[in-house]
Structure formats: C-alpha cells, structure tokens
Amino acid sequence: MSVTFAQGFSAAGVAAGISAVEGKKDLALVVNNGPLDAAAGVFTSNRFCAAPVQWSRNIVSDGHAKAVILNSGGANACTGKPGYEQSKATAEKVAGLIGAKAEDVAVCSTGLIGELLPLDNVLSGADKAFETLADTAEAGADASHAIMTTDTKPKTVELEGSNGFRIGGMVKGSGMIAPQLATMLCVITTDAVVTAGQLQAALNAGVEMSFNRIDVDGCMSTNDTVLLLASGASGIEPEPDEFNELVAKATASLARQIIGDGEGASHDIRVKVTGATTEEAALACGRAVAASNLLKCAISGNDPNWGRIVSSLGTVPSDVAPYDSEKVTVDVNGVRICENGGAGRDRSEVDMTPREVHIDIDLNAGEAEATVWTDDLTHEYVHINADYES
Amino acid sequence: MSVTFAQGFSAAGVAAGISAVEGKKDLALVVNNGPLDAAAGVFTSNRFCAAPVQWSRNIVSDGHAKAVILNSGGANACTGKPGYEQSKATAEKVAGLIGAKAEDVAVCSTGLIGELLPLDNVLSGADKAFETLADTAEAGADASHAIMTTDTKPKTVELEGSNGFRIGGMVKGSGMIAPQLATMLCVITTDAVVTAGQLQAALNAGVEMSFNRIDVDGCMSTNDTVLLLASGASGIEPEPDEFNELVAKATASLARQIIGDGEGASHDIRVKVTGATTEEAALACGRAVAASNLLKCAISGNDPNWGRIVSSLGTVPSDVAPYDSEKVTVDVNGVRICENGGAGRDRSEVDMTPREVHIDIDLNAGEAEATVWTDDLTHEYVHINADYES
C-alpha cells in the first residue's frame, strides 16, 4: 500500500539499472494527482548535503510539489555542480512526463556518496516508471521496494482518520541513522484537505518526536529527506489536532520500523528517561545512553550492563541535565538492576531474549521525560559496513 | 621499566585474587621514596565517578602523595559509601605498610562497574606487593602488567632530560576510551626536583594534547585517573620548558600506545585537520570524524571511504567550525581522494595495508590545526564487548 493508500496518488517502482545489484528495483515515482499539490519537507542538516537535497529543499519551500522521484543505488552527494545538474535534469524529465514544471518535482537519492548517477538509466527509468504508474496497493509496494538499500524489508504505514481521510507512507533507512534526522528517504501522502502550512507544522512536530529520536549508529547522512504531500482527494478537512496526531503516528511508526531493521541489529532498544528537570535534559540523557557503543555491544551479547548505562549518563554535563547520581534508578526489561546509582537486583534476573529491550532510567530530579530508540551493535553491523561500499 | 625508570620509586605487581582470571597479576603498588612527594592528578569528569577517583582526587588536591595502589579486576564504581570505605581502607593499609598517612596514598581501580572489591584479597595483596617492592626494571614491568584488563600488552614510557632527570610511566586502557579523558589508569613518575604546581601545569597541558585527543569507542569511563609523582631523587631542577615538553612526550607516547592496543583494532587512525579558523574548530572536526562508526567500519574493511569522512565533517555546526564544504580536501595515506568537497583521485590508489592510517583533512578556511587518534571498528571489538563483562 504505502503511499497509494491515500486517494489521489499513483506510484511506481522499477528496475532502472542504477543499483549495482542486477535487476533490483531502484527507481520510485510518486505522483500527486490532486486536486491539491500542497507539500512540506524536512531535510538533513549535514553541511555536505547532497544535490537532490539542495534541489528538493528549494522546490518544496513554496509549499507545492506534484511528484517525487527517488532512486537507490547512488546518493549523488559531494558531486558538485554536475550532481546538481543531474537532479535538475531528473526533475525536468518527470515534469515533462506528467505535464508540470521542474519546480514541481522533488528528487531523492540514496546510496554511495561521491559518485554521479548513471543519468541515462535514471531518465529511461523515469519513462518506465511513468508507464507503470498506478494507484494500486501493488504500485505503492513497488515504490517502497525501489528505495531500499541495506534495508532488509520495505517500511510502510497506512492510517485512517475518524472521518475517513487517509495517510500513507514509505521510508527507507537502516544505517547512517542518527539525530538530528535519521538517515532516510521518506514520503508520506495524505488525501486530506490541508494547507502547506498545516502540513509543514504537522511534519515538523512529527519528525521531532520520531526520526529525531532514533539512532542506529550515530552517523548523520548527507541525503535525509522527509516529504509530506497532500492531494485533497478525499474532500475531507480534518480536525487540526487529529491531523497532527495522525501524522505523528505515521512518522513514529516509520521510525520504529527503521529501528526494527537497523543494520545487523538483533535487539531494538527503547531508552526512556523519566524524572528529568526538562524534556531537553531527558533527551540529552537518553541520547547519551543510546549512543554508547559499549552498551550496544553488551545488549547484543544479552548482557543488561547497567554500568555502561550509568557511565554514559554520567557524560551529560550537569548544567544540561541536573540530577543526583546517587538517586538514579535503572530498570532493564522491568527489573531494577540499578538502585540509587548502585547495584540493585541481580542482572541475571533480566530476561534478554525478547527482540525489544526496555531501558527505563529515572533521574528522580523532576517530572519531564523523553524516549529514544536505538539498536544493538553486532558483528553483522561491522560486516555490513566494512564490506559494503556505501 | 615503566615507573621505576625514574630514581626514587619502587614498584610491585602481584596476583592478589581480585581478577576473575586465575593467577593474573591484578594489584600494583608504586611508592615514592622521596626526598620529595609532590603529586598532580587529572581525573574523569564522569558524574558517576568511582570511589577510588573520589578518594584520590581529594588526597592529591594538596599536591602530595607518597604511594599509589592500583587494581584491575574491579572498578569499585557505583558502589556508594561501602565502595568509598573500601578505597579508604586500602589507602590506610598501604599507609600502615610504608609508614605514612592514608591521605598520602592514592587508589586506582579498573574493571567491572557496580560491584564491591574482594577487600580481603586487596589488603592481603597489599602485603604481598609491599614485600616485593623493588626499584628494578622488572618490578616496574610487573606493575604495568598488573593494571591490564583487556589490554593485550603493557604500555610504558621511559624518557631522559638533557641533564639527566628521568620520567617513567605506565598506562592501561583499551576500551571505553574517549575524550574528555581516555579511559585508563596512568602513573607517571619523575625524579626531577619540581613543585606540585609545576607538575599539575605540565600534566594538564600534556593530557590535553594526548589523552584528551584519542577516542577508541566514544565511551567515557567512571575511573579515569592520571597521576604524576615527583621524587626529586635526581637532585636535578629541570628547565621548565624542557620538563613540560618531556611530560607531554610521555603522555603522547602512552596515549599513542593505547590507540595501538585499542580493543579489537586492526588500524590506528590519525585524523589531522588543518586549515581551520581555530584550534577548537579543527578539534571539533577531528573528533566528529574519529567518532564515526561507519568510517571506522570502512577502515576495518580497508575501504578509504571519503564519503563517510565528509558526512561526519558535515555534522559539525558552522558556528563551531566555519568552512566552505566545496573547498575541503581529504587525503588518505597521502592520496587526495576528495578534492573541493567532491571526488578526487580514485580510492583504489590508496594503500590500506599499513596498520597506521593517515586521514588529512584541509578545511582551507584558516591556519589552525589539530590531530586526534582513533581505532577502526572491527568484529573483534564487538566480540570483546559483547562477550566480556566489564
């Protein structure tokens, strides 16, 4: 389903010969058939942002987009002016096909940094994708497959509001995932009747609580792009609160799926920090814990090593997160293995067999809280990233 | 040799039954026989600092120490008041043996966080160490072995000033190594006639340029301790500049040895950033690159992946390190594989077979520079930290 779950959108995913993997679907096209063409976007803050990011950030800034073309198999990042010309030519090609302006077409790329794309393949692939455009569940699924790189499965979401408007979405992302902004390409569609301003506000809020709170490997990408497109095809004007909530639910679902498919991961780790003086303090503590290679290795070895949790917590400056180290408690999967900053119940009581590991940290310093997600660090992660050129 | 290279110091390293590894030397004693007992220290800034750190930071603050007792096999961290009492009891024991006050004895521990030490073994081990104290090269070597945990080899340094004063030192550290302060226990001795103030200034400067510029895994320890002790036994008052320089040389050598023995490492990576507007900017860029798991995996796979270098560089905010991404160059082992922020010479030209990998980044924005060291991220690192409880 993915992006075609919302009315007014058609999609396609085709093998265009961009990826080094023979026959892999590597080009996706999503077209907004209207009547609206409202759009919002959030992009990587990496200073080496890729050509498609430069292009798309610019064209979405007016609140309108009629289509998105996305490729795996090459990031078109650090490719200078020739790379930018490629993104522009790709947008022009799609614009010609759908009868729009190049400035109505967003472009996303993912893959190896530092190399230009095989542009002829991209352009002929666009023809092929245009020919197979459909508003079917299958077409949406094809698109979600075409954007995968080290992802082991497509990641999609379908949600329906109380009065029938719909949100659909797809994301790719598996490694190079860290706040701010997990590394990924994400397209979310809705058939609600909403303005570009509403879209951008809902997207900003949703991204902040989802993609900005996951961390697979602490590495920020050059290509991160999240787009939210509205067709208005349902004719339904949603309650603003419900719309925002549903967008947040969509981004949360997609972010959670990224963690569930983190490169080489054997555990999905939820770090929840409560009892903080402010949400920022809770977030800083959660991120410090989620970023610990030592902890992530311990979890992969099924060791609920609270020493590595508190030692990470101890790196957060006290002006950022005031707390008393002797009042901190840590529960792993419901067992309080650290009490008052020291040993609590025996770590052998913790059942580490579930895929999902819950680390609950209570700073006992206030009322604020925050949750971040990460993955464990496994042999497989090293294998993927030592042996796969990306 | 290590700490006994300087005159006026005796040392011992014995198996006291603290470590879980049967028969492993796990207790070291270093005694300053004077005539001076000047001392300086630098300690972890982790807010969950261990009991021995709390003890030693306090007793060294007056600029005096006559002995240091160090154990592997247990960190005595997050152990509350009982842990502090253990550190104190250990200092009292040594003080009784050497005829000093407990406040003259520093205590260092390394190993698993969250458990008390087997105090009886520590105290009886102190007797044994005291009996075998000697100022020989062998005794110094024994001490350097006794502090090892996942270290695969002892790390020592011996340096002589132009007029004959000497500096000796030993360090342990292999994982949980990140600025500020690499995770480690370090004792440096000198027979120069210097004041505690001179010692502290020299140590601060040395640590800043060495232990604070290495990063094995981004994880800061609860137990980091660096001590510098002066006996004055050579009777030589060194030129202050030469003394500072030699201390810096000692800390640099020991820090470099830690990187050379990083957990599971197959490459030692030197990241040198030049052309920065300030040293702080260069350091921020160097640290961002050195912290990239993706890059560290690539290097372990002998892939000089400049995309992962610049994408890390791109995460440093522009107010911290102003530079133009299109003017950045990156050389790996002397081959300019990134030119003007894009592809340069082919990565296949880079010889990745040497253990030492040189990443030279020129921001082309100013005259300042900084160098940091890290290790690659290997299967073996994950193995050590998934399967070893520490």
Short mmCIF file of all heavy atoms in Angstrom, two decimals, chain A residues 348-388:
data_model
loop_
_atom_site.label_atom_id
_atom_site.label_comp_id
_atom_site.label_asym_id
_atom_site.label_seq_id
_atom_site.Cartn_x
_atom_site.Cartn_y
_atom_site.Cartn_z
N SER A 348 21.10 -11.16 36.43
CA SER A 348 20.68 -12.46 35.91
C SER A 348 19.16 -12.60 35.90
O SER A 348 18.60 -13.46 35.22
CB SER A 348 21.28 -13.59 36.75
OG SER A 348 20.77 -13.53 38.07
N GLU A 349 18.47 -11.72 36.66
CA GLU A 349 17.01 -11.78 36.67
C GLU A 349 16.38 -11.21 35.40
O GLU A 349 15.19 -11.38 35.16
CB GLU A 349 16.46 -10.98 37.87
CG GLU A 349 16.78 -11.59 39.23
CD GLU A 349 16.19 -10.75 40.35
OE1 GLU A 349 15.05 -10.25 40.21
OE2 GLU A 349 16.88 -10.56 41.37
N VAL A 350 17.19 -10.50 34.62
CA VAL A 350 16.64 -9.83 33.43
C VAL A 350 16.52 -10.82 32.27
O VAL A 350 17.50 -11.48 31.91
CB VAL A 350 17.52 -8.65 33.00
CG1 VAL A 350 16.92 -7.95 31.78
CG2 VAL A 350 17.69 -7.68 34.15
N ASP A 351 15.34 -10.90 31.69
CA ASP A 351 15.14 -11.74 30.51
C ASP A 351 15.53 -10.93 29.27
O ASP A 351 14.85 -9.98 28.90
CB ASP A 351 13.67 -12.16 30.43
CG ASP A 351 13.38 -12.99 29.18
OD1 ASP A 351 14.35 -13.38 28.48
OD2 ASP A 351 12.20 -13.25 28.91
N MET A 352 16.64 -11.32 28.65
CA MET A 352 17.11 -10.56 27.49
C MET A 352 16.74 -11.24 26.18
O MET A 352 17.21 -10.83 25.11
CB MET A 352 18.63 -10.40 27.58
CG MET A 352 19.09 -9.50 28.71
SD MET A 352 18.63 -7.76 28.44
CE MET A 352 19.79 -7.29 27.16
N THR A 353 15.90 -12.24 26.23
CA THR A 353 15.57 -12.94 24.97
C THR A 353 14.68 -12.14 24.03
O THR A 353 14.80 -12.32 22.81
CB THR A 353 14.94 -14.33 25.26
OG1 THR A 353 13.85 -14.15 26.16
CG2 THR A 353 15.96 -15.26 25.87
N PRO A 354 13.77 -11.25 24.53
CA PRO A 354 12.95 -10.53 23.54
C PRO A 354 13.80 -9.63 22.64
O PRO A 354 14.83 -9.11 23.05
CB PRO A 354 12.03 -9.66 24.42
CG PRO A 354 12.05 -10.29 25.77
CD PRO A 354 13.41 -10.90 25.91
N ARG A 355 13.33 -9.47 21.43
CA ARG A 355 13.99 -8.55 20.49
C ARG A 355 13.99 -7.13 21.06
O ARG A 355 14.96 -6.39 20.93
CB ARG A 355 13.24 -8.59 19.16
CG ARG A 355 13.55 -7.47 18.18
CD ARG A 355 14.44 -7.88 17.04
NE ARG A 355 14.90 -6.70 16.31
CZ ARG A 355 15.74 -6.74 15.30
NH1 ARG A 355 16.24 -7.89 14.90
NH2 ARG A 355 16.13 -5.65 14.69
N GLU A 356 12.89 -6.73 21.68
CA GLU A 356 12.76 -5.37 22.19
C GLU A 356 13.30 -5.32 23.62
O GLU A 356 12.90 -6.11 24.48
CB GLU A 356 11.28 -4.96 22.15
CG GLU A 356 11.06 -3.48 22.21
CD GLU A 356 9.63 -3.07 21.82
OE1 GLU A 356 9.21 -3.41 20.68
OE2 GLU A 356 8.97 -2.43 22.63
N VAL A 357 14.21 -4.39 23.86
CA VAL A 357 14.78 -4.22 25.20
C VAL A 357 14.36 -2.85 25.72
O VAL A 357 14.54 -1.83 25.03
CB VAL A 357 16.32 -4.31 25.16
CG1 VAL A 357 16.93 -3.98 26.52
CG2 VAL A 357 16.76 -5.70 24.72
N HIS A 358 13.80 -2.83 26.92
CA HIS A 358 13.34 -1.57 27.51
C HIS A 358 14.30 -1.14 28.61
O HIS A 358 14.44 -1.83 29.62
CB HIS A 358 11.94 -1.74 28.09
CG HIS A 358 10.89 -1.90 27.05
ND1 HIS A 358 9.56 -2.08 27.34
CD2 HIS A 358 10.97 -1.90 25.68
CE1 HIS A 358 8.87 -2.19 26.21
NE2 HIS A 358 9.70 -2.09 25.19
N ILE A 359 14.93 0.01 28.41
CA ILE A 359 15.79 0.58 29.45
C ILE A 359 15.05 1.79 30.01
O ILE A 359 14.79 2.76 29.29
CB ILE A 359 17.15 1.01 28.87
CG1 ILE A 359 17.89 -0.22 28.34
CG2 ILE A 359 17.98 1.74 29.93
CD1 ILE A 359 19.20 0.09 27.65
N ASP A 360 14.66 1.70 31.28
CA ASP A 360 13.92 2.79 31.91
C ASP A 360 14.79 3.43 32.98
O ASP A 360 15.16 2.79 33.96
CB ASP A 360 12.62 2.24 32.53
CG ASP A 360 11.65 1.79 31.46
OD1 ASP A 360 11.18 2.65 30.69
OD2 ASP A 360 11.39 0.58 31.37
N ILE A 361 15.12 4.70 32.74
CA ILE A 361 16.00 5.42 33.65
C ILE A 361 15.19 6.49 34.37
O ILE A 361 14.54 7.31 33.72
CB ILE A 361 17.14 6.09 32.86
CG1 ILE A 361 17.98 5.03 32.14
CG2 ILE A 361 18.01 6.96 33.78
CD1 ILE A 361 18.86 5.58 31.05
N ASP A 362 15.21 6.47 35.68
CA ASP A 362 14.53 7.51 36.45
C ASP A 362 15.59 8.36 37.13
O ASP A 362 16.37 7.87 37.96
CB ASP A 362 13.60 6.87 37.48
CG ASP A 362 12.69 7.92 38.14
OD1 ASP A 362 12.99 9.13 38.03
OD2 ASP A 362 11.69 7.52 38.78
N LEU A 363 15.66 9.64 36.72
CA LEU A 363 16.68 10.53 37.29
C LEU A 363 16.25 11.04 38.67
O LEU A 363 17.08 11.58 39.41
CB LEU A 363 16.92 11.72 36.35
CG LEU A 363 17.42 11.40 34.95
CD1 LEU A 363 17.53 12.70 34.13
CD2 LEU A 363 18.77 10.71 34.98
N ASN A 364 14.97 10.90 38.96
CA ASN A 364 14.44 11.39 40.25
C ASN A 364 14.82 12.85 40.52
O ASN A 364 15.20 13.20 41.65
CB ASN A 364 14.92 10.49 41.39
CG ASN A 364 14.07 9.23 41.50
OD1 ASN A 364 12.85 9.32 41.62
ND2 ASN A 364 14.70 8.07 41.42
N ALA A 365 14.70 13.66 39.49
CA ALA A 365 15.07 15.07 39.65
C ALA A 365 13.95 16.01 39.22
O ALA A 365 14.02 17.21 39.45
CB ALA A 365 16.33 15.38 38.84
N GLY A 366 12.88 15.46 38.59
CA GLY A 366 11.81 16.33 38.10
C GLY A 366 10.71 15.51 37.48
O GLY A 366 10.57 14.31 37.75
N GLU A 367 9.94 16.14 36.61
CA GLU A 367 8.75 15.50 36.06
C GLU A 367 8.82 15.23 34.57
O GLU A 367 7.93 14.62 33.99
CB GLU A 367 7.51 16.38 36.34
CG GLU A 367 7.24 16.65 37.82
CD GLU A 367 6.92 15.37 38.58
OE1 GLU A 367 6.25 14.50 38.02
OE2 GLU A 367 7.38 15.26 39.74
N ALA A 368 9.87 15.70 33.92
CA ALA A 368 9.92 15.61 32.45
C ALA A 368 10.49 14.27 32.00
O ALA A 368 11.21 13.60 32.74
CB ALA A 368 10.76 16.75 31.89
N GLU A 369 10.13 13.90 30.76
CA GLU A 369 10.62 12.62 30.24
C GLU A 369 10.83 12.69 28.73
O GLU A 369 10.35 13.62 28.05
CB GLU A 369 9.64 11.50 30.57
CG GLU A 369 8.25 11.69 29.97
CD GLU A 369 7.35 10.48 30.29
OE1 GLU A 369 7.06 10.29 31.48
OE2 GLU A 369 6.96 9.79 29.34
N ALA A 370 11.54 11.71 28.20
CA ALA A 370 11.75 11.59 26.76
C ALA A 370 12.14 10.16 26.46
O ALA A 370 12.70 9.46 27.31
CB ALA A 370 12.83 12.54 26.27
N THR A 371 11.83 9.73 25.24
CA THR A 371 12.14 8.37 24.82
C THR A 371 12.93 8.41 23.52
O THR A 371 12.57 9.13 22.60
CB THR A 371 10.85 7.56 24.60
OG1 THR A 371 10.14 7.50 25.85
CG2 THR A 371 11.15 6.15 24.13
N VAL A 372 14.00 7.65 23.44
CA VAL A 372 14.73 7.49 22.19
C VAL A 372 14.89 5.99 21.93
O VAL A 372 14.78 5.17 22.84
CB VAL A 372 16.11 8.16 22.22
CG1 VAL A 372 15.99 9.65 22.49
CG2 VAL A 372 17.02 7.53 23.26
N TRP A 373 15.12 5.66 20.68
CA TRP A 373 15.27 4.26 20.27
C TRP A 373 16.63 4.09 19.61
O TRP A 373 17.11 4.95 18.90
CB TRP A 373 14.20 3.89 19.25
CG TRP A 373 12.84 3.66 19.83
CD1 TRP A 373 11.88 4.61 20.07
CD2 TRP A 373 12.28 2.40 20.24
NE1 TRP A 373 10.76 4.02 20.59
CE2 TRP A 373 10.97 2.66 20.71
CE3 TRP A 373 12.75 1.09 20.26
CZ2 TRP A 373 10.13 1.65 21.18
CZ3 TRP A 373 11.92 0.08 20.72
CH2 TRP A 373 10.62 0.37 21.18
N THR A 374 17.22 2.94 19.84
CA THR A 374 18.44 2.61 19.13
C THR A 374 18.49 1.10 18.91
O THR A 374 17.56 0.38 19.28
CB THR A 374 19.69 3.09 19.90
OG1 THR A 374 20.85 2.90 19.08
CG2 THR A 374 19.89 2.32 21.20
N ASP A 375 19.58 0.65 18.28
CA ASP A 375 19.79 -0.78 18.04
C ASP A 375 21.03 -1.24 18.75
O ASP A 375 21.87 -0.43 19.13
CB ASP A 375 19.95 -1.03 16.53
CG ASP A 375 18.64 -0.93 15.77
OD1 ASP A 375 17.71 -1.65 16.13
OD2 ASP A 375 18.56 -0.12 14.84
N ASP A 376 21.16 -2.54 18.90
CA ASP A 376 22.42 -3.04 19.45
C ASP A 376 23.48 -3.05 18.34
O ASP A 376 23.19 -2.83 17.17
CB ASP A 376 22.24 -4.41 20.11
CG ASP A 376 21.65 -5.46 19.18
OD1 ASP A 376 21.26 -5.12 18.06
OD2 ASP A 376 21.57 -6.63 19.60
N LEU A 377 24.72 -3.24 18.77
CA LEU A 377 25.86 -3.21 17.84
C LEU A 377 26.40 -4.63 17.72
O LEU A 377 26.89 -5.20 18.69
CB LEU A 377 26.94 -2.26 18.37
CG LEU A 377 28.23 -2.14 17.58
CD1 LEU A 377 28.00 -1.80 16.12
CD2 LEU A 377 29.15 -1.10 18.22
N THR A 378 26.28 -5.16 16.53
CA THR A 378 26.55 -6.59 16.34
C THR A 378 27.69 -6.82 15.35
O THR A 378 28.11 -5.91 14.63
CB THR A 378 25.30 -7.29 15.77
OG1 THR A 378 25.06 -6.75 14.47
CG2 THR A 378 24.08 -7.06 16.66
N HIS A 379 28.16 -8.05 15.34
CA HIS A 379 29.12 -8.46 14.31
C HIS A 379 28.59 -8.11 12.92
O HIS A 379 29.32 -7.65 12.06
CB HIS A 379 29.34 -9.98 14.39
CG HIS A 379 30.10 -10.40 15.60
ND1 HIS A 379 31.46 -10.42 15.63
CD2 HIS A 379 29.68 -10.80 16.81
CE1 HIS A 379 31.87 -10.83 16.83
NE2 HIS A 379 30.80 -11.05 17.57
N GLU A 380 27.30 -8.33 12.74
CA GLU A 380 26.69 -8.14 11.44
C GLU A 380 26.77 -6.66 11.01
O GLU A 380 26.98 -6.36 9.84
CB GLU A 380 25.23 -8.62 11.48
CG GLU A 380 24.55 -8.73 10.14
CD GLU A 380 25.25 -9.63 9.14
OE1 GLU A 380 26.08 -10.47 9.53
OE2 GLU A 380 24.98 -9.45 7.93
N TYR A 381 26.61 -5.74 11.97
CA TYR A 381 26.74 -4.31 11.64
C TYR A 381 28.13 -4.03 11.07
O TYR A 381 28.28 -3.33 10.06
CB TYR A 381 26.49 -3.42 12.86
CG TYR A 381 26.73 -1.95 12.57
CD1 TYR A 381 25.72 -1.16 12.03
CD2 TYR A 381 27.97 -1.37 12.78
CE1 TYR A 381 25.94 0.17 11.72
CE2 TYR A 381 28.21 -0.04 12.47
CZ TYR A 381 27.19 0.73 11.94
OH TYR A 381 27.41 2.04 11.62
N VAL A 382 29.13 -4.56 11.75
CA VAL A 382 30.51 -4.35 11.29
C VAL A 382 30.69 -4.98 9.91
O VAL A 382 31.26 -4.37 8.99
CB VAL A 382 31.53 -4.93 12.29
CG1 VAL A 382 32.95 -4.79 11.73
CG2 VAL A 382 31.41 -4.23 13.64
N HIS A 383 30.16 -6.18 9.75
CA HIS A 383 30.28 -6.87 8.47
C HIS A 383 29.67 -6.03 7.34
O HIS A 383 30.31 -5.79 6.32
CB HIS A 383 29.58 -8.22 8.56
CG HIS A 383 29.55 -8.95 7.25
ND1 HIS A 383 30.71 -9.37 6.62
CD2 HIS A 383 28.53 -9.28 6.42
CE1 HIS A 383 30.39 -9.94 5.47
NE2 HIS A 383 29.07 -9.90 5.33
N ILE A 384 28.45 -5.56 7.57
CA ILE A 384 27.76 -4.77 6.53
C ILE A 384 28.56 -3.53 6.18
O ILE A 384 28.72 -3.19 5.02
CB ILE A 384 26.35 -4.37 7.02
CG1 ILE A 384 25.45 -5.60 7.14
CG2 ILE A 384 25.72 -3.34 6.09
CD1 ILE A 384 24.13 -5.33 7.88
N ASN A 385 29.12 -2.88 7.19
CA ASN A 385 29.74 -1.59 6.94
C ASN A 385 31.24 -1.65 6.67
O ASN A 385 31.85 -0.66 6.30
CB ASN A 385 29.44 -0.65 8.10
CG ASN A 385 27.99 -0.19 8.02
OD1 ASN A 385 27.61 0.46 7.07
ND2 ASN A 385 27.19 -0.61 8.99
N ALA A 386 31.81 -2.83 6.87
CA ALA A 386 33.21 -2.99 6.49
C ALA A 386 33.29 -3.50 5.06
O ALA A 386 34.25 -3.22 4.35
CB ALA A 386 33.91 -3.97 7.43
N ASP A 387 32.26 -4.22 4.65
CA ASP A 387 32.35 -4.93 3.38
C ASP A 387 31.45 -4.37 2.29
O ASP A 387 31.61 -4.70 1.13
CB ASP A 387 32.04 -6.42 3.61
CG ASP A 387 32.94 -7.00 4.70
OD1 ASP A 387 34.07 -6.50 4.84
OD2 ASP A 387 32.51 -7.93 5.39
N TYR A 388 30.49 -3.51 2.71
CA TYR A 388 29.56 -2.93 1.73
C TYR A 388 30.00 -1.50 1.47
O TYR A 388 30.16 -0.73 2.41
CB TYR A 388 28.15 -2.96 2.30
CG TYR A 388 27.11 -2.15 1.57
CD1 TYR A 388 26.49 -2.65 0.42
CD2 TYR A 388 26.73 -0.89 2.02
CE1 TYR A 388 25.52 -1.91 -0.25
CE2 TYR A 388 25.77 -0.14 1.35
CZ TYR A 388 25.17 -0.66 0.22
OH TYR A 388 24.22 0.09 -0.44
#
